[in-house]
Amino acid sequence: MTEFNPEKVSSRKGRIAIITGSNTGLGYETAKILAGTGMKVIMACRNMEKAESAKKMILKTHPGSDLEIMPVDLSRLASVRNFADMYMSAFDRVDLLINNAGIMIPPYSLTEDGFESQMGVNYFAHFLLTALLFDTIVKTPGSRIVALSSNAHKKGEIRFEDLNRRKDYNPLNAYRQSKVACLIFAKELDRRIRRAGLETLSVAAHPGLSITELVRHIPKWVMVIGKPLTAIVTHPPAKGAMPVVYAALSPDVKGGEYFGPQGYNEWKGEPGRVDSTSYANDKSIAARLWDISEKLTGVNFNVNSLAASLENTEA
């Protein structure tokens, strides 16, 4: 693994990155770094007020950077479709799609489309968004898709018989399910891209342990008791974003790879390649998840047909 410093990355002016949930936490830190490379950064956010505030802060760090806010509510598939339509009517390329936004261990609720909230926001919305933008992504030379997973994926399993966790809801297990789903999707998408002979890279990353707004549903007493350990086992969001930035920008990244911190238990440290579970690499599970994701989101995400369409267009 070569040493990686995003400040030494050559100018990315003229390229476009879409980052969901870029108004806070890891998404904000990622947007700030990418803005510094000269890329146009599309801040795909639900809360416009927070997004405007985040944009102003990034502009203070990188005056003159190219930032644009576009609304999307990942708890509503209709909003994801509207975002994709709006984007494609304005732009003809996607160099980076970073599926960052997420929620963690909230009380049980269903999205507008009937999904358990974590599975809906963290996974299904990003599956749909990727599918809708895929044709534009693969037409963009050197494009990449980065999925945000988590160390929590290591104990994650897809409960296919009860995807929405209506029975015995455990918020942590539901979070684990959503994050292993994101990793499975990234790896399966890369396999399908390779088979289709396309050049786009599909990779995944996780931040390790970092205190962001994601922890807002953790009981306050837990945070108080655990505060003395925070400095030991966690790193700040700016460091937590580095595996994502590595996956997005490093020249030695290959499709299907997974990145995270290199320290003890992958809690914190410099970014590098990390392992995923045999479950996350199971091709039969991946195929089953892909099929049900198409059905539940109402999208036909046929990578081969999209590749053929692209080939015919170029011919």
Side-chain angles (χ1 to χ4, degrees):
M1 182 78 59
T2 57
E3 184 178 349
F4 175 70
N5 183 347
E7 293 182 1
K8 295 182 179 180
V9 170
S10 59
S11 173
R12 293 297 198 268
K13 192 172 181 62
R15 304 184 190 183
I16 306 176
I18 300 172
I19 309 173
T20 62
S22 45
N23 60 307
T24 187
L26 301 171
Y28 167 77
E29 297 295 342
T30 302
K32 183 163 65 173
I33 293 171
L34 295 186
T37 71
M39 294 190 82
K40 180 180 185 66
V41 176
I42 304 297
M43 303 175 69
C45 303
R46 180 181 60 86
N47 188 311
M48 292 296 96
E49 184 177 346
K50 288 184 178 180
E52 288 289 352
S53 177
K55 178 180 176 180
K56 289 178 182 178
M57 289 191 291
I58 293 173
L59 286 171
K60 286 182 180 179
T61 304
H62 300 294
S65 55
D66 192 355
L67 302 162
E68 182 171 341
I69 297 168
M70 294 181 69
V72 64
D73 181 350
L74 296 175
S75 70
R76 300 174 52 244
L77 294 186
S79 178
V80 175
R81 292 181 181 279
N82 287 340
F83 172 88
D85 287 344
M86 189 187 314
Y87 182 88
M88 289 186 293
S89 68
F91 305 103
D92 61 359
R93 67 184 296 135
V94 179
D95 296 87
L96 281 175
L97 172 60
I98 301 181
N99 291 323
N100 164 84
I103 54 177
M104 185 174 76
I105 61 173
Y108 187 77
S109 67
L110 298 176
T111 68
E112 178 180 275
D113 304 281
F115 303 131
E116 184 276 321
S117 61
Q118 295 178 94
M119 194 66 172
V121 170
N122 299 352
Y123 172 65
F124 282 123
H126 285 125
F127 179 91
L128 177 62
L129 179 62
T130 305
L132 296 174
L133 295 176
F134 191 72
D135 188 47
T136 303
I137 294 170
V138 297
K139 288 177 182 177
T140 307
S143 58
R144 298 186 190 183
I145 301 162
V146 183
L148 265 288
S149 186
S150 165
N151 245 342
H153 96 271
K154 294 176 180 178
K155 294 186 177 180
E157 292 185 354
I158 310 297
R159 189 188 285 181
F160 285 105
E161 73 282 2
D162 184 23
L163 272 175
N164 294 316
R165 300 274 167 166
R166 294 178 184 273
K167 301 176 183 177
D168 305 319
Y169 178 68
N170 178 300
L172 180 55
N173 286 339
Y175 178 72
R176 289 166 172 164
Q177 172 179 261
S178 73
K179 286 302 176 178
V180 78
C182 291
L183 183 54
I184 290 169
F185 172 50
K187 288 176 172 291
E188 177 64 11
L189 178 57
D190 182 71
R191 285 190 287 266
R192 295 185 183 218
I193 286 172
R194 299 299 135 239
R195 288 198 297 267
L198 299 170
E199 296 182 358
T200 295
L201 300 183
S202 172
V203 296
H206 81 83
L209 296 182
S210 186
I211 305 300
T212 70
E213 281 195 4
L214 273 182
V215 304
R216 62 185 177 275
H217 294 296
I218 294 177
K220 289 183 179 179
W221 66 268
V222 173
M223 298 299 294
V224 171
I225 292 174
K227 190 172 183 179
L229 292 174
T230 298
I232 299 173
V233 302
T234 72
H235 54 182
K239 286 288 188 180
M242 288 308 296
V244 182
V245 176
Y246 191 105
L249 297 180
S250 180
D252 69 346
V253 170
K254 297 177 182 177
E257 292 186 321
Y258 185 36
F259 300 90
Q262 298 293 284
Y264 179 72
N265 273 353
E266 299 171 25
W267 288 343
K268 63 180 186 177
E270 296 303 309
R273 293 177 181 85
V274 294
D275 294 327
S276 48
T277 62
S278 58
Y279 186 90
N281 288 287
D282 189 307
K283 295 178 182 179
S284 63
I285 292 172
R288 187 178 180 187
L289 179 62
W290 190 287
D291 289 345
I292 199 168
S293 299
E294 284 187 317
K295 179 180 179 181
L296 294 178
T297 61
V299 67
N300 179 20
F301 195 172
N302 189 320
V303 174
N304 280 325
S305 67
L306 289 168
S309 174
L310 177 61
E311 199 171 281
N312 291 334
T313 300
E314 291 177 343

